[in-house]
Amino acid sequence: MTLPVTVTFMLADWIIKGIADGTLERVGGVIREVGSKHIVTWLREQGSPTGNQLGEIGRSMLLTQGILQVTSAVSILNMGVSVIGFAVIAQRLKELEQRLQQAQKLLNHINRKIDLSFYANFRAAIELATNAFTMTKTENRRSSALQAINRFLEAEHIYTEFADIEIEQKSQIADEYLLTLSLAYLAEARCYLELEEHETALRRFQEGSIVIRSRIQKYVKLLLTFNPAVYLQPQFRGQIDLRRLTRIYQWLDPTLNENAVFDMQRMNLFMLAKDPNNAKWVESIPAAIWDSKVDWVGKAILDDPKPQIYARLPKTLAVVESMIETNLRFAAYQTELQAISQLGISFYDWLKLTPPTEIKPEGAKLMYIIPSKPLELQPSM
């Protein structure tokens, strides 16, 4: 069967030119036309990277002097749903659980306990799903998969509630629960894909996107603080610039440009200049950035916490970018499912796509799936 896509390890010159002149943009795991939002390319990682390897992939995408720029912070999700199977989900879940265990050591100072018991249930659900799709009998395969789906649904409800509570408390672990929630929706949708229930998988991605994005928006606004101009202080020259802040605001409101964002920060910059000690801002910052009860234990009451707080801001902004990137990748998964349907390709054929004659160049970490003509798909990002 001749597939209506080209699969290659080399990014086409016309795509590089389009990104350079601003007519194309990367959003999550796709490259699309800026005006029409038509998809021209899907990006697919090669292999199943974990841990620090994800950072290498992020850096490998800084092609042609930053044309295919990815934020410095790495998303917990892969570029495409086709390369984030149950084994990868399990690895990501393990990483999040370990991060919460580290957070628990700090929260012990204020007698705050984190309930990690639900992670064991989530892991068991992943194992159930993994086993289900190794079964040969169709009825057993479907029955076990539906049991796993029920557990993933339970996880979605649990981690939605956890995320809401932590966001309300402006805590330092809200992002861990938001990322866990993303994995729960992804695991459920992946089960439906394995069952070839594409429409249900697409619907669950769409519903999950609404739930996740609304909460990530609250978290992003929380980390921007009441005066986002603090991220543009002179001490962050070379680390944080207006363009970087603009990209965050454009995720919140795509109609904004750099001039609009600068206008939004004019008075904020003036307020910072009037209060060089930033006393009001320091008093107002959320615990998600700095919590005196946790982060200032053992310090003298007269010590100045501002140097420690400011030192955290570049990392905080990277967390914001990482959460946005995760949301964009999750939303982009919908375009894969829409493409599978529109191109008439089964999910398993989509998984097996590879360049028919190309030899993979040494060090190549990405593969590009290019439809014969740009696809008009329902925008999800």
Side-chain angles (χ1 to χ4, degrees):
M1 181 179 71
T2 302
L3 296 176
V5 294
T6 299
V7 187
T8 176
F9 292 117
M10 301 299 293
L11 193 59
D13 290 341
W14 65 271
I15 295 177
I16 293 176
K17 180 180 181 296
I19 295 174
D21 63 25
T23 57
L24 299 177
E25 62 182 349
R26 184 193 69 84
V27 183
V30 303
I31 298 175
R32 69 184 186 184
E33 296 174 349
V34 171
S36 68
K37 309 304 181 188
H38 293 177
I39 307 297
V40 300
T41 306
W42 280 268
L43 310 173
R44 181 183 293 182
E45 294 109 327
Q46 294 300 287
S48 300
T50 58
N52 292 331
Q53 289 176 291
L54 283 172
E56 294 174 9
I57 283 182
R59 286 188 291 272
S60 76
M61 292 183 65
L62 304 179
L63 302 176
T64 58
Q65 290 77 49
I67 280 178
L68 200 54
Q69 179 71 43
V70 177
T71 56
S72 57
V74 176
S75 168
I76 197 169
L77 300 185
N78 288 58
M79 302 294 282
V81 69
S82 49
V83 287
I84 188 163
F86 295 116
V88 178
I89 294 173
Q91 176 63 32
R92 301 292 190 272
L93 190 66
K94 181 180 178 181
E95 293 167 5
L96 289 172
E97 189 174 8
Q98 290 172 342
R99 281 155 57 169
L100 282 172
Q101 288 170 345
Q102 291 296 316
Q104 179 67 79
K105 296 177 183 178
L106 294 175
L107 294 175
N108 284 338
H109 292 301
I110 56 174
N111 295 319
R112 173 100 188 275
K113 300 296 182 184
I114 300 175
D115 189 347
L116 295 172
S117 61
F118 294 103
Y119 278 85
N121 295 336
F122 196 168
R123 287 198 306 272
I126 294 173
E127 291 174 6
L128 181 60
T130 302
N131 291 336
F133 296 112
T134 61
M135 295 178 177
T136 54
K137 292 186 177 180
T138 303
E139 61 271 22
N140 293 342
R141 178 186 178 96
R142 186 173 184 83
S143 175
S144 293
L146 291 175
Q147 290 179 46
I149 287 170
N150 285 334
R151 293 198 184 189
F152 293 139
L153 286 168
E154 181 183 12
E156 289 161 18
H157 289 295
I158 289 169
Y159 290 108
T160 298
E161 182 179 357
F162 282 3
D164 287 342
I165 291 171
E166 298 303 327
I167 291 171
E168 182 66 27
Q169 295 184 0
K170 304 179 181 180
S171 86
Q172 294 182 359
I173 59 174
D175 57 333
E176 315 295 1
Y177 288 132
L178 286 169
L179 293 172
T180 304
L181 178 60
S182 299
L183 292 179
Y185 272 105
L186 177 57
E188 182 204 354
R190 181 74 190 214
C191 278
Y192 284 121
L193 287 174
E194 295 284 351
L195 293 171
E196 293 288 354
E197 299 284 354
H198 293 173
E199 291 185 6
T200 303
L202 176 59
R203 176 174 57 82
R204 293 304 292 153
F205 270 130
Q206 291 170 334
E207 292 169 354
S209 289
I210 294 171
V211 172
I212 294 165
R213 183 184 173 102
S214 65
R215 285 156 177 82
I216 290 180
Q217 280 182 324
K218 290 180 181 179
Y219 189 63
V220 166
K221 292 177 180 178
L222 178 71
L223 293 184
L224 287 175
T225 77
F226 86 88
N227 190 343
V230 73
Y231 287 100
L232 298 175
Q233 293 183 101
Q235 69 194 80
F236 301 129
R237 184 187 300 274
Q239 296 183 72
I240 303 171
D241 57 21
L242 181 60
R243 182 178 302 176
R244 192 171 166 192
L245 194 62
T246 297
R247 284 196 293 263
I248 293 170
Y249 272 100
Q250 286 175 330
W251 177 76
L252 294 168
D253 181 355
T255 66
L256 297 176
N257 57 25
E258 282 191 27
N259 284 336
V261 173
F262 178 72
D263 278 340
M264 292 168 64
Q265 302 308 321
R266 280 183 191 271
M267 186 55 67
N268 287 334
L269 290 165
F270 181 70
M271 289 169 59
L272 289 178
K274 284 183 63 177
D275 180 17
N277 291 322
N278 290 346
K280 184 178 178 182
W281 179 82
V282 169
E283 290 175 4
S284 71
I285 58 173
I289 295 177
W290 186 81
D291 186 346
S292 60
K293 296 176 183 178
V294 175
D295 302 312
W296 208 238
V297 176
K299 299 292 184 180
I301 193 170
L302 295 178
D303 287 349
D304 185 2
K306 288 195 291 296
Q308 181 178 343
I309 295 171
Y310 295 154
R312 292 187 177 192
L313 291 183
K315 183 178 179 181
T316 299
L317 203 67
V319 169
V320 170
E321 293 170 327
S322 179
M323 296 300 295
I324 291 173
E325 179 70 18
T326 291
N327 178 255
L328 291 174
R329 293 186 184 192
F330 187 92
Y333 292 166
Q334 298 172 48
T335 70
E336 285 193 69
L337 306 193
Q338 292 171 333
I340 288 171
S341 175
Q342 191 165 321
L343 296 172
I345 303 174
S346 72
F347 180 61
Y348 289 107
D349 284 337
W350 182 263
L351 289 180
K352 293 185 291 185
L353 287 177
T354 188
T357 57
E358 257 183 79
I359 297 175
K360 181 181 176 183
E362 184 177 354
K365 294 183 173 67
L366 288 173
M367 187 175 76
Y368 307 95
I369 302 171
I370 306 172
S372 55
K373 63 179 181 179
L375 291 184
E376 182 180 358
L377 305 174
Q378 181 181 346
S380 57
M381 300 159 284

